Amino acid sequence: MKIALKGASDFKFLSDDSRENPKDCAFLVTQSSQKYFQQAKDNGFEIFITPQDLKKYLDLNLKLIGITGTNGKTTTAAMIYSILLDMGYKVGLLGTRGFFINGIQKRQKGLTTPSLLEVYTAINEARQEDCEFFVMEVSSHAIVQNRIEGLEFALRILANITSDHLDYHKTLENYIATKNSFFATPKDEKLINKDEKNAQYSLQNTMTYGIESNATFHIKAYSLKGGITAQIAYGKEEAMLNAYLFGKHNLYNALAAIGAVKILTKSPLQMIADKLENFGGVLGRMQVVNEKPLIIVDFAHTQDGMEQVFQSFLHQKIVVIFGAGGDRDKTKRPKMGYCASKYASKIYITSDNPRSENPKTIMQEILNGIPKDKQSKVFLEENRALAIQRAIKELCDDEVLLVLGKGDEKYQIIGDEMLHFDDVEEIQKSLQLYFKR
């Protein structure tokens, strides 16, 4: 990546790519680009700067909010962004859904946390448009690879820590330690999910939120039937929240978002809760595609993520479609199968993004986690479109269909090919066929 800089006297451009034209250009040395340092010198680069130097050349003077967690980063970030915009602030948002400034999408979705130079450039761009806040998702990969090096956060938020990306982190202990390392900076304000047993943090500059715990921001009473109704308490302040969102995990997300905005703006708690009621949700996150019969699309692709979705519909018969990604953590596949068997009356195991793996092998590894006495309710269909079609054809009015794993992805990776595929589109096609009434 190469960007133009203003205010630098000895160079006009900055790049983290050693192959760029070195004329009037400095090379940014990061953890990722360090291995190309010699190549950059050989290519003619003479000026080398570090992430700590970027403050001299980019305007980073806004309040930065970073959110990490196995699940909930995208929704919590979107909630904070939505509330702040509705309160009249100018805000940037960077994460899985892309890069946004003041309600306008600037760049399409990519990595949850892009390269260090992309992150800094986005913050600078938001500042040029007078943003006071910048909300970003922070992935475990980004923490390990130091893609947030040198950034000063006004608030660091922990959603939860379960199990994911063990193909990269190797052990759950490594993954937990990585997530917790984001909160090792004592001087930054922190907002921690107190109900998360894997959270490790110092009490310095720390506030908490929780449903089961007596946290700084806590719930006195709540109902999850037909949406979320909750009584939120913060010290002597209380507020009522009414939101058309599903599930206890979204109550956690909402509580984190409301707590974050309270910490950052000191606004009345009820006013913040009222603004969240305008939040329409995130595509692919507990997205209601159809109401009768009820069909939900969600990105859940781990045992914990699936369990959170299932627990949102305990009052209904659950039908689920899901698979697991190829060339990724294999240990979670039987766990996902077992989780589905605990809650669903019918299970359709299909392909997710199989990549270079045999889809049938992945499906079998999921099936291996389902007890033998429950496998009669399991249907295997490698073709995801056909799996959706069959599930909808066989769906009853008193059942909820959960289509999990891909969320708002518009593609399916099979072998080396990235093919167009959209769960919502396939659901709508099948509804036309079987539910015209």
Side-chain angles (χ1 to χ4, degrees), residues 191-419:
L191 180 60
I192 306 291
N193 181 350
K194 196 172 182 180
D195 294 342
E196 176 50 64
K197 65 182 185 301
N198 289 320
Q200 299 165 10
Y201 54 94
S202 69
L203 296 178
Q204 186 177 352
N205 292 323
T206 298
M207 291 192 186
T208 58
Y209 68 98
I211 298 175
E212 312 301 336
S213 306
N214 185 22
T216 313
F217 296 91
H218 62 276
I219 302 295
K220 298 187 75 172
Y222 68 94
S223 169
L224 302 175
K225 193 168 184 180
I228 292 175
T229 303
Q231 185 179 8
I232 302 169
Y234 166 68
K236 294 181 179 179
E237 265 192 285
E238 291 187 5
M240 285 301 300
L241 171 67
N242 293 284
Y244 188 58
L245 300 166
F246 288 97
K248 192 174 181 179
H249 64 292
N250 266 328
L251 179 54
Y252 275 105
N253 296 336
L255 189 55
I258 291 169
V261 175
K262 177 67 180 180
I263 292 167
L264 293 163
T265 68
K266 315 301 183 190
S267 301
L269 196 66
Q270 187 61 62
M271 184 182 81
I272 299 170
D274 289 344
K275 296 299 183 185
L276 183 57
E277 292 177 16
N278 299 328
F279 178 69
V282 177
L283 289 178
R285 269 70 175 177
M286 292 294 272
Q287 180 181 350
V288 179
V289 181
N290 196 71
E291 291 191 1
K292 291 185 179 180
L294 183 57
I295 303 177
I296 304 282
V297 166
D298 193 83
F299 187 60
H301 58 282
T302 65
Q303 175 191 1
D304 179 70
M306 291 174 66
E307 187 137 22
Q308 289 180 358
V309 175
F310 291 142
Q311 288 181 351
S312 304
F313 300 98
L314 295 178
H315 57 289
Q316 288 183 262
K317 292 180 183 176
I318 295 173
V319 180
V320 64
I321 299 172
F322 72 101
D327 303 330
R328 297 293 186 269
D329 179 12
K330 296 183 179 184
T331 64
K332 68 180 182 180
R333 295 171 187 173
K335 296 174 185 175
M336 293 165 69
Y338 178 72
C339 179
S341 73
K342 290 196 300 179
Y343 295 95
S345 57
K346 288 184 285 187
I347 300 170
Y348 297 82
I349 300 176
T350 187
S351 291
D352 189 287
N353 293 316
R355 299 183 177 87
S356 70
E357 288 194 63
N358 185 328
K360 288 184 172 63
T361 302
I362 298 173
M363 291 163 62
Q364 184 61 48
E365 289 175 350
I366 294 171
L367 182 64
N368 291 343
I370 299 177
K372 297 291 185 185
D373 62 337
K374 294 187 176 181
Q375 290 189 6
S376 60
K377 64 180 182 180
V378 179
F379 308 93
L380 302 179
E381 174 51 68
E382 179 181 338
N383 185 304
R384 192 175 179 95
L386 292 180
I388 290 171
Q389 189 177 118
R390 178 175 178 179
I392 290 177
K393 181 181 179 181
E394 298 172 351
L395 192 64
C396 301
D397 287 337
D398 63 343
E399 294 174 327
V400 55
L401 174 61
L402 307 175
V403 184
L404 306 182
K406 293 181 62 60
D408 64 339
E409 289 180 355
K410 308 293 184 189
Y411 59 84
Q412 190 172 31
I413 305 171
I414 302 176
D416 295 329
E417 292 187 281
M418 182 178 284
L419 308 172

